Amino acid sequence: TKIRAPGGELIYSMPEAGAPGQVHAAFTGTEETDDSLRAHTTPRLARWCADLLVTAEWAGSQLVLRTPAGAAQLLASAVDDAILPDVLGCIAGDDTVLVITRSERAAAQVAAHLLALADPGARR
């Protein structure tokens, strides 16, 4: 992206984490393994899942995450920022996040992964 530097000149800059259209370099669009989910998990995602994720359920390729009131946008932002394989994007309300994945299998794997991150016994 082209931005204006403090001195006024135009320079090129890397997009901010979670910027629209950002794609992880290793993403092929077909990864659905637990290892690839772990590899894309950021400390921020792990922390917000542990602190905010109440439930995760899926229907088809749609995953619904529940949080305490007012916390959905924090969790959705962390999911988007992590660029999890086969997650197309999130929409956050007040206490609910809708995550759209590429397949039902991906939705089930992402739900299981996020719930594992939310489990205090699973923290390292």
Side-chain angles (χ1 to χ4, degrees), residues 36-106:
S36 66
L37 286 172
R38 278 191 290 276
H40 286 82
T41 299
T42 63
R44 182 172 169 240
L45 177 61
R47 183 182 71 235
W48 286 136
C49 282
D51 291 348
L52 302 175
L53 184 60
V54 176
T55 64
E57 298 182 50
W58 71 95
S61 63
Q62 298 179 358
L63 174 61
V64 176
L65 309 177
R66 298 284 183 174
T67 70
Q73 291 184 16
L74 293 170
L75 184 57
S77 175
V79 171
D80 283 338
D81 187 48
I83 312 174
L84 297 173
D86 292 324
V87 171
L88 299 175
C90 301
I91 298 173
D94 182 54
D95 62 353
T96 305
V97 179
L98 174 63
V99 181
I100 306 297
T101 65
R102 293 184 187 277
S103 68
E104 185 171 352
R105 179 176 174 215

